[in-house]
Amino acid sequence: MAMVSMRQLLDEAAKGGYGVGAFNVNNMEQIQAIMEAATETQSPVIVQASRGARSYSQDRFLYHLMLAATEIYPDIPIALHQDHGNSPATCKSAIEMGFTSVMMDGSLMEDGKTPSSFEHNVKVTREVVEMAHARGVTVEGEIGCLGGIEDGHGAGGDGLEHLTDPEQAVEFVKQTGVDALAIAIGTSHGAYKFSSKPTGETLKMERLLEIHRRLPNVHLVMHGSSSVPQDLQDVINHYGGKLKPTWGVPVEEIQLGIKNGVRKINVDTDNRLAMTGAIRKVLVEKPEEFDLRAYMKPAREAMKKVVALRMQQFGQAGHAKDYKPIPLSEIAAMYKKEAVTA
Ligand code: G3H
Ligand code: 13P
Ligand code: ZN
């Protein structure tokens, strides 16, 4: 099956009342892990690549691995998404390569760290919407900023500094025409989200509910949604790792979000933890081992387990064959019609 529009995938999720995990990839084993989990659970999938992932894999390696995924797993609808595009140029290069969805993260300046103005965000996001929709490609925007990741993409801090203002969210959607909206409700990227077990008050869920009330037809996106499970931390630390005590986003909070308009849930860290733990285990238990397949296979299996579990928890499991993918040219025509009647 050819890669599909993320908009179609999220529209279907909204009809079915479920969420779709968006899992980050950097290499072949991570793509295989996601596709195996999707096949086992019969799930549609969103595979996403950050700028760092595209650079690490020299771009075309990653893209061709994704083409292989569409050939090997023809029954699974796959949307290929640019995670945290920092500029219209980044999104343009993704679209030209064949990504079916892009995130223009104009909540930060092009450096991926400095919070931007509302006007800057609208300007760059609108530019990407025009370019992407003409080719049937989906656009995710972000309003408010996540915390975390000092050396990668993110505003730093604890995730509570730049929460999304619901009124601004409405204006942003009106002025940009994005298909999906990432909101900041207190999560952050990476493993160190919360320094104690989150309570019902930790995440600003009432803000999410308010945004959904005002924008009932917009697909909401939760970034920084790894749960950082204790058992994955334990494996790493048991085999010589040095993770500090930390807590992630409880799955029940994500499920509450899914009941209230969240359709895309971004997960990267949990998979990094699972793979790293599995690799450490082999290297510690079998120090004589030096065939990389001896540790990459268990690493791939560990990630598959996490992804399959999230697919069940988010509700996308069982929905792979619910609908027939629409070609991007038809989606482009739909956007054109929408623009004329607006
Ligand atoms: O947005 C954060 C994702 O986990 C991607 O991280 O930029 O290190 O590839 P990365
Ligand atoms: P985590 O670091 O919580 O996995 O978040 C990933 C993410 O939001 C990618 O955009
Ligand atoms: Zn993110």
Side-chain angles (χ1 to χ4, degrees), residues 139-160:
V139 181
E140 172 185 339
E142 175 164 331
I143 186 90
C145 304
L146 263 76
I149 306 272
E150 293 299 339
D151 55 349
H153 192 103
D158 65 0
L160 293 170

Side-chain angles (χ1 to χ4, degrees), residues 77-92:
I78 310 170
L80 176 60
H81 176 77
Q82 163 78 60
D83 191 23
H84 293 286
N86 64 326
S87 65
T90 298
C91 295
K92 184 166 184 269

Side-chain angles (χ1 to χ4, degrees), residues 24 48 83-84 146 149 188-191 193 222-226 266-270:
N24 288 73
Q48 59 187 11
D83 191 23
H84 293 286
L146 263 76
I149 306 272
S188 33
H189 289 123
K193 299 182 195 304
M222 262 176 89
H223 280 246
S225 293
S226 278
N266 283 18
V267 175
D268 185 1
T269 298
D270 284 352

Side-chain angles (χ1 to χ4, degrees), residues 181-197:
L181 183 68
I183 55 169
I185 53 163
T187 62
S188 33
H189 289 123
Y192 299 103
K193 299 182 195 304
F194 309 117
S195 51
S196 57
K197 197 172 187 293

Side-chain angles (χ1 to χ4, degrees), residues 42-316:
Q42 282 300 294
S43 301
V45 290
I46 301 168
V47 176
Q48 59 187 11
S50 67
R51 279 189 300 138
R54 287 180 61 193
S55 151
Y56 173 77
S57 64
Q58 295 164 289
D59 246 3
R60 297 206 73 75
F61 277 116
L62 198 67
Y63 182 64
H64 282 267
L65 287 169
M66 288 306 303
L67 288 182
T70 63
E71 284 170 19
I72 298 171
Y73 304 92
D75 294 337
I76 303 294
I78 310 170
L80 176 60
H81 176 77
Q82 163 78 60
D83 191 23
H84 293 286
N86 64 326
S87 65
T90 298
C91 295
K92 184 166 184 269
S93 71
I95 294 167
E96 281 169 354
M97 187 169 301
F99 282 52
T100 60
S101 179
V102 290
M103 174 184 195
M104 176 62 240
D105 182 358
S107 72
L108 299 173
M109 297 302 286
E110 203 169 325
D111 64 6
K113 294 186 192 322
T114 314
S116 71
S117 67
F118 179 77
E119 291 72 26
H120 168 90
N121 197 354
V122 167
K123 180 176 169 288
V124 289
T125 308
R126 180 73 221 160
E127 188 181 330
V128 171
V129 167
E130 277 163 22
M131 170 168 69
H133 282 186
R135 297 166 82 156
V137 170
T138 310
V139 181
E140 172 185 339
E142 175 164 331
I143 186 90
C145 304
L146 263 76
I149 306 272
E150 293 299 339
D151 55 349
H153 192 103
D158 65 0
L160 293 170
E161 287 163 37
H162 306 279
L163 297 175
T164 304
D165 170 2
E167 207 171 306
Q168 255 194 3
V170 173
E171 200 47 39
F172 182 76
V173 169
K174 199 165 115 195
Q175 291 190 30
T176 59
V178 289
D179 302 279
L181 183 68
I183 55 169
I185 53 163
T187 62
S188 33
H189 289 123
Y192 299 103
K193 299 182 195 304
F194 309 117
S195 51
S196 57
K197 197 172 187 293
T199 67
E201 308 294 298
T202 309
L203 282 184
K204 305 298 160 209
M205 294 308 284
E206 74 287 350
R207 225 171 247 258
L208 186 149
L209 268 54
E210 175 63 18
I211 296 166
H212 180 52
R213 254 195 304 278
R214 293 188 192 209
L215 292 168
N217 300 319
V218 172
H219 303 309
L220 300 179
V221 183
M222 262 176 89
H223 280 246
S225 293
S226 278
S227 301
V228 196
Q230 190 60 49
D231 59 334
L232 297 183
Q233 297 182 47
D234 289 346
V235 176
I236 292 183
N237 286 339
H238 182 75
Y239 291 103
K242 283 203 163 61
L243 293 174
K244 291 175 273 179
T246 180
W247 282 265
V249 179
V251 170
E252 310 80 68
E253 298 280 8
I254 298 171
Q255 288 168 333
L256 175 62
I258 293 169
K259 287 201 182 89
N260 291 280
V262 171
R263 298 291 158 235
K264 174 173 181 275
I265 304 106
N266 283 18
V267 175
D268 185 1
T269 298
D270 284 352
N271 293 324
R272 293 179 178 194
L273 294 172
M275 291 186 92
T276 298
I279 291 169
R280 279 191 171 279
K281 183 171 188 294
V282 173
L283 295 182
V284 168
E285 286 180 347
K286 299 181 187 162
E288 72 287 0
E289 190 55 77
F290 60 90
D291 177 347
L292 71 88
R293 290 167 298 193
Y295 50 87
M296 290 310 287
K297 269 195 213 168
R300 183 172 62 192
E301 192 54 33
M303 173 161 164
K304 178 191 154 187
K305 249 174 87 181
V306 172
V307 173
L309 180 62
R310 295 290 176 267
M311 286 170 163
Q312 301 282 3
Q313 291 166 329
F314 299 161
Q316 74 207 81

